[in-house]
Short mmCIF file of all heavy atoms in Angstrom, two decimals:
data_model
loop_
_atom_site.label_atom_id
_atom_site.label_comp_id
_atom_site.label_asym_id
_atom_site.label_seq_id
_atom_site.Cartn_x
_atom_site.Cartn_y
_atom_site.Cartn_z
N SER A 1 29.35 29.23 10.99
CA SER A 1 29.88 28.06 11.77
C SER A 1 29.84 26.86 10.95
O SER A 1 29.09 26.77 9.98
CB SER A 1 29.00 27.90 13.02
OG SER A 1 27.74 27.46 12.68
N ASP A 2 30.59 25.83 11.37
CA ASP A 2 30.66 24.54 10.61
C ASP A 2 29.29 23.87 10.50
O ASP A 2 28.99 23.31 9.44
CB ASP A 2 31.66 23.60 11.25
CG ASP A 2 33.09 24.06 11.15
OD1 ASP A 2 33.36 24.91 10.21
OD2 ASP A 2 33.97 23.55 11.88
N SER A 3 28.53 23.91 11.54
CA SER A 3 27.23 23.25 11.56
C SER A 3 26.25 23.95 10.54
O SER A 3 25.54 23.25 9.83
CB SER A 3 26.60 23.23 12.91
OG SER A 3 26.33 24.54 13.40
N VAL A 4 26.30 25.25 10.47
CA VAL A 4 25.50 26.00 9.54
C VAL A 4 26.03 25.73 8.14
O VAL A 4 25.23 25.60 7.17
CB VAL A 4 25.40 27.53 9.92
CG1 VAL A 4 24.65 28.26 8.78
CG2 VAL A 4 24.70 27.70 11.18
N LEU A 5 27.30 25.75 8.01
CA LEU A 5 27.90 25.57 6.65
C LEU A 5 27.53 24.19 6.05
O LEU A 5 27.29 24.07 4.92
CB LEU A 5 29.46 25.67 6.75
CG LEU A 5 30.18 25.62 5.43
CD1 LEU A 5 29.67 26.66 4.48
CD2 LEU A 5 31.73 25.73 5.61
N ALA A 6 27.37 23.18 6.95
CA ALA A 6 27.02 21.84 6.41
C ALA A 6 25.59 21.89 5.88
O ALA A 6 25.28 21.29 4.83
CB ALA A 6 27.06 20.83 7.59
N GLU A 7 24.72 22.69 6.54
CA GLU A 7 23.33 22.81 6.07
C GLU A 7 23.34 23.71 4.74
O GLU A 7 22.63 23.34 3.83
CB GLU A 7 22.48 23.52 7.08
CG GLU A 7 22.29 22.69 8.40
CD GLU A 7 21.44 21.49 8.24
OE1 GLU A 7 20.64 21.35 7.30
OE2 GLU A 7 21.63 20.62 9.09
N ALA A 8 24.16 24.72 4.72
CA ALA A 8 24.27 25.58 3.52
C ALA A 8 24.73 24.78 2.33
O ALA A 8 24.24 25.00 1.20
CB ALA A 8 25.12 26.77 3.82
N ARG A 9 25.63 23.91 2.58
CA ARG A 9 26.20 23.14 1.54
C ARG A 9 25.12 22.22 0.95
O ARG A 9 24.99 22.07 -0.30
CB ARG A 9 27.36 22.25 2.04
CG ARG A 9 28.18 21.56 0.93
CD ARG A 9 29.39 20.75 1.44
NE ARG A 9 30.30 21.68 2.13
CZ ARG A 9 30.53 21.60 3.51
NH1 ARG A 9 29.94 20.75 4.22
NH2 ARG A 9 31.38 22.48 4.04
N GLY A 10 24.31 21.64 1.76
CA GLY A 10 23.16 20.79 1.31
C GLY A 10 22.19 21.60 0.42
O GLY A 10 21.84 21.13 -0.66
N VAL A 11 21.82 22.82 0.83
CA VAL A 11 20.97 23.67 0.10
C VAL A 11 21.65 24.02 -1.25
O VAL A 11 21.04 23.93 -2.29
CB VAL A 11 20.52 24.91 0.89
CG1 VAL A 11 19.86 25.97 -0.01
CG2 VAL A 11 19.71 24.60 2.06
N ASN A 12 22.85 24.42 -1.22
CA ASN A 12 23.56 24.82 -2.42
C ASN A 12 23.74 23.72 -3.38
O ASN A 12 23.50 23.93 -4.55
CB ASN A 12 25.05 25.33 -2.02
CG ASN A 12 25.79 25.89 -3.18
OD1 ASN A 12 25.34 26.84 -3.83
ND2 ASN A 12 26.87 25.23 -3.53
N ASP A 13 24.03 22.48 -2.88
CA ASP A 13 24.07 21.34 -3.77
C ASP A 13 22.73 21.07 -4.47
O ASP A 13 22.73 20.84 -5.71
CB ASP A 13 24.52 20.08 -3.02
CG ASP A 13 25.98 20.14 -2.51
OD1 ASP A 13 26.71 21.05 -3.01
OD2 ASP A 13 26.38 19.29 -1.71
N MET A 14 21.68 21.10 -3.78
CA MET A 14 20.35 20.84 -4.30
C MET A 14 19.97 21.91 -5.34
O MET A 14 19.46 21.56 -6.39
CB MET A 14 19.28 20.71 -3.23
CG MET A 14 19.27 19.37 -2.51
SD MET A 14 17.81 19.22 -1.46
CE MET A 14 16.54 18.83 -2.60
N ILE A 15 20.23 23.19 -5.01
CA ILE A 15 19.90 24.18 -5.94
C ILE A 15 20.78 24.06 -7.21
O ILE A 15 20.33 24.21 -8.39
CB ILE A 15 20.15 25.57 -5.32
CG1 ILE A 15 19.05 25.89 -4.31
CG2 ILE A 15 20.23 26.71 -6.37
CD1 ILE A 15 19.23 27.13 -3.49
N GLY A 16 22.01 23.74 -7.11
CA GLY A 16 22.95 23.47 -8.21
C GLY A 16 22.43 22.33 -9.11
O GLY A 16 22.44 22.45 -10.33
N ILE A 17 22.08 21.25 -8.46
CA ILE A 17 21.56 20.09 -9.21
C ILE A 17 20.28 20.46 -10.00
O ILE A 17 20.17 20.13 -11.19
CB ILE A 17 21.31 18.85 -8.25
CG1 ILE A 17 22.63 18.31 -7.76
CG2 ILE A 17 20.50 17.78 -8.93
CD1 ILE A 17 22.57 17.43 -6.52
N LEU A 18 19.40 21.11 -9.28
CA LEU A 18 18.11 21.53 -9.95
C LEU A 18 18.36 22.44 -11.10
O LEU A 18 17.86 22.25 -12.22
CB LEU A 18 17.21 22.14 -8.94
CG LEU A 18 15.90 22.68 -9.42
CD1 LEU A 18 15.09 21.62 -10.15
CD2 LEU A 18 15.02 23.33 -8.30
N TYR A 19 19.17 23.48 -10.89
CA TYR A 19 19.46 24.48 -11.99
C TYR A 19 20.17 23.76 -13.15
O TYR A 19 19.85 23.99 -14.31
CB TYR A 19 20.32 25.62 -11.44
CG TYR A 19 20.48 26.71 -12.51
CD1 TYR A 19 19.43 27.42 -12.94
CD2 TYR A 19 21.76 27.01 -12.96
CE1 TYR A 19 19.63 28.47 -13.92
CE2 TYR A 19 21.98 28.05 -13.88
CZ TYR A 19 20.86 28.78 -14.37
OH TYR A 19 21.07 29.76 -15.25
N GLY A 20 21.19 22.88 -12.84
CA GLY A 20 21.83 22.17 -13.93
C GLY A 20 20.88 21.37 -14.73
O GLY A 20 20.94 21.29 -15.96
N MET A 21 19.95 20.70 -14.03
CA MET A 21 18.97 19.83 -14.71
C MET A 21 18.08 20.70 -15.69
O MET A 21 17.89 20.41 -16.81
CB MET A 21 18.08 19.11 -13.72
CG MET A 21 17.02 18.27 -14.37
SD MET A 21 15.86 17.48 -13.11
CE MET A 21 17.00 16.42 -12.29
N LEU A 22 17.63 21.84 -15.11
CA LEU A 22 16.75 22.69 -15.92
C LEU A 22 17.51 23.29 -17.16
O LEU A 22 16.95 23.39 -18.23
CB LEU A 22 16.26 23.84 -15.06
CG LEU A 22 15.26 23.44 -13.94
CD1 LEU A 22 14.95 24.62 -13.06
CD2 LEU A 22 14.00 22.78 -14.59
N ARG A 23 18.77 23.67 -16.91
CA ARG A 23 19.54 24.14 -18.10
C ARG A 23 19.80 23.14 -19.15
O ARG A 23 19.66 23.36 -20.39
CB ARG A 23 20.86 24.74 -17.60
CG ARG A 23 20.77 26.02 -16.76
CD ARG A 23 20.22 27.19 -17.49
NE ARG A 23 21.18 27.48 -18.62
CZ ARG A 23 20.76 27.96 -19.81
NH1 ARG A 23 19.51 28.21 -20.04
NH2 ARG A 23 21.67 28.19 -20.71
N ARG A 24 20.05 21.85 -18.67
CA ARG A 24 20.25 20.81 -19.71
C ARG A 24 18.93 20.52 -20.45
O ARG A 24 19.00 20.39 -21.69
CB ARG A 24 20.71 19.52 -19.02
CG ARG A 24 22.22 19.64 -18.52
CD ARG A 24 22.74 18.31 -18.05
NE ARG A 24 21.95 17.74 -16.94
CZ ARG A 24 22.22 17.98 -15.68
NH1 ARG A 24 23.14 18.88 -15.28
NH2 ARG A 24 21.53 17.39 -14.73
N ILE A 25 17.89 20.44 -19.79
CA ILE A 25 16.57 20.25 -20.43
C ILE A 25 16.29 21.41 -21.44
O ILE A 25 15.97 21.17 -22.63
CB ILE A 25 15.40 20.07 -19.46
CG1 ILE A 25 15.55 18.85 -18.55
CG2 ILE A 25 14.11 20.09 -20.17
CD1 ILE A 25 14.64 18.77 -17.41
N ASP A 26 16.49 22.63 -20.97
CA ASP A 26 16.26 23.77 -21.77
C ASP A 26 17.11 23.80 -23.06
O ASP A 26 16.71 24.25 -24.10
CB ASP A 26 16.51 25.05 -20.91
CG ASP A 26 16.02 26.33 -21.55
OD1 ASP A 26 15.27 26.24 -22.56
OD2 ASP A 26 16.39 27.43 -21.07
N CYS A 27 18.39 23.40 -22.88
CA CYS A 27 19.28 23.45 -24.06
C CYS A 27 19.20 22.19 -24.90
O CYS A 27 19.91 22.08 -25.84
CB CYS A 27 20.72 23.55 -23.50
SG CYS A 27 21.05 25.14 -22.71
N GLY A 28 18.30 21.23 -24.56
CA GLY A 28 18.15 20.05 -25.31
C GLY A 28 19.19 19.03 -25.11
O GLY A 28 19.53 18.23 -25.97
N ASP A 29 19.89 19.08 -23.99
CA ASP A 29 21.01 18.28 -23.68
C ASP A 29 20.69 17.41 -22.44
O ASP A 29 21.60 17.21 -21.58
CB ASP A 29 22.33 19.06 -23.50
CG ASP A 29 23.53 18.24 -23.52
OD1 ASP A 29 23.54 17.08 -24.07
OD2 ASP A 29 24.50 18.67 -22.89
N ALA A 30 19.46 17.05 -22.22
CA ALA A 30 19.00 16.38 -21.00
C ALA A 30 19.72 14.99 -20.85
O ALA A 30 19.97 14.29 -21.84
CB ALA A 30 17.50 16.20 -20.99
N ARG A 31 20.00 14.69 -19.58
CA ARG A 31 20.55 13.38 -19.28
C ARG A 31 19.48 12.38 -19.06
O ARG A 31 18.25 12.71 -19.06
CB ARG A 31 21.45 13.46 -18.00
CG ARG A 31 22.72 14.29 -18.19
CD ARG A 31 23.50 14.35 -16.97
NE ARG A 31 24.63 15.27 -17.16
CZ ARG A 31 25.35 15.76 -16.18
NH1 ARG A 31 25.06 15.51 -14.91
NH2 ARG A 31 26.40 16.51 -16.41
N GLU A 32 19.80 11.17 -18.78
CA GLU A 32 18.84 10.06 -18.73
C GLU A 32 17.71 10.40 -17.70
O GLU A 32 16.59 10.13 -17.97
CB GLU A 32 19.50 8.75 -18.36
CG GLU A 32 18.59 7.57 -18.24
CD GLU A 32 19.35 6.27 -17.91
OE1 GLU A 32 20.56 6.21 -18.08
OE2 GLU A 32 18.70 5.36 -17.48
N HIS A 33 18.09 10.89 -16.54
CA HIS A 33 17.08 11.12 -15.42
C HIS A 33 16.63 12.52 -15.38
O HIS A 33 15.85 12.87 -14.44
CB HIS A 33 17.74 10.67 -14.09
CG HIS A 33 18.10 9.25 -14.05
ND1 HIS A 33 17.11 8.25 -13.98
CD2 HIS A 33 19.28 8.59 -14.03
CE1 HIS A 33 17.76 7.06 -14.00
NE2 HIS A 33 19.09 7.26 -14.01
N ASP A 34 16.97 13.37 -16.33
CA ASP A 34 16.50 14.79 -16.38
C ASP A 34 15.06 14.81 -16.93
O ASP A 34 14.89 14.30 -18.01
CB ASP A 34 17.46 15.61 -17.23
CG ASP A 34 18.77 15.85 -16.61
OD1 ASP A 34 18.97 15.56 -15.38
OD2 ASP A 34 19.65 16.37 -17.28
N SER A 35 14.21 15.37 -16.15
CA SER A 35 12.79 15.65 -16.71
C SER A 35 12.17 16.69 -15.87
O SER A 35 12.64 17.04 -14.75
CB SER A 35 12.03 14.26 -16.54
OG SER A 35 11.69 14.00 -15.15
N ILE A 36 11.08 17.24 -16.35
CA ILE A 36 10.36 18.24 -15.64
C ILE A 36 9.80 17.63 -14.36
O ILE A 36 9.79 18.30 -13.31
CB ILE A 36 9.20 18.84 -16.56
CG1 ILE A 36 9.80 19.53 -17.73
CG2 ILE A 36 8.33 19.77 -15.73
CD1 ILE A 36 10.71 20.76 -17.40
N GLU A 37 9.34 16.40 -14.40
CA GLU A 37 8.83 15.77 -13.20
C GLU A 37 9.91 15.59 -12.17
O GLU A 37 9.69 15.86 -10.95
CB GLU A 37 8.15 14.41 -13.45
CG GLU A 37 6.85 14.50 -14.27
CD GLU A 37 5.80 15.41 -13.63
OE1 GLU A 37 5.58 15.34 -12.44
OE2 GLU A 37 5.31 16.29 -14.37
N ALA A 38 11.09 15.23 -12.55
CA ALA A 38 12.22 15.15 -11.61
C ALA A 38 12.56 16.47 -11.04
O ALA A 38 12.88 16.63 -9.78
CB ALA A 38 13.43 14.58 -12.26
N ALA A 39 12.51 17.55 -11.90
CA ALA A 39 12.74 18.86 -11.42
C ALA A 39 11.66 19.30 -10.42
O ALA A 39 12.05 20.00 -9.41
CB ALA A 39 12.78 19.85 -12.59
N LYS A 40 10.44 18.97 -10.66
CA LYS A 40 9.42 19.35 -9.71
C LYS A 40 9.56 18.63 -8.32
O LYS A 40 9.38 19.21 -7.31
CB LYS A 40 7.99 18.92 -10.21
CG LYS A 40 7.52 19.81 -11.39
CD LYS A 40 6.16 19.38 -11.87
CE LYS A 40 5.62 20.29 -12.98
NZ LYS A 40 4.36 19.88 -13.47
N ARG A 41 10.05 17.34 -8.38
CA ARG A 41 10.31 16.61 -7.15
C ARG A 41 11.49 17.32 -6.39
O ARG A 41 11.40 17.46 -5.18
CB ARG A 41 10.68 15.17 -7.38
CG ARG A 41 9.49 14.30 -7.65
CD ARG A 41 9.77 12.84 -7.64
NE ARG A 41 10.82 12.48 -8.62
CZ ARG A 41 10.53 12.21 -9.95
NH1 ARG A 41 9.35 12.31 -10.43
NH2 ARG A 41 11.55 11.90 -10.70
#
């Protein structure tokens, strides 16, 4: 349903942001706000 999809989108977005941050840090291509502490948060 649309209401569940809105919640799923939020989860998916956060997971994608987190994974992207971890991959950038791991590959040595971290952005300004990428850090292990930010990933933990």
Side-chain angles (χ1 to χ4, degrees):
S1 67
D2 290 342
S3 61
V4 173
L5 186 57
E7 297 290 340
R9 189 175 301 114
V11 169
N12 186 61
D13 290 350
M14 282 188 77
I15 286 174
I17 290 167
L18 176 57
Y19 185 64
M21 180 185 295
L22 292 173
R23 291 294 300 147
R24 288 189 300 274
I25 293 169
D26 190 15
C27 294
D29 193 25
R31 293 179 183 165
E32 182 180 342
H33 299 290
D34 291 348
S35 69
I36 296 300
E37 290 307 313
K40 286 180 179 179
R41 281 191 303 276

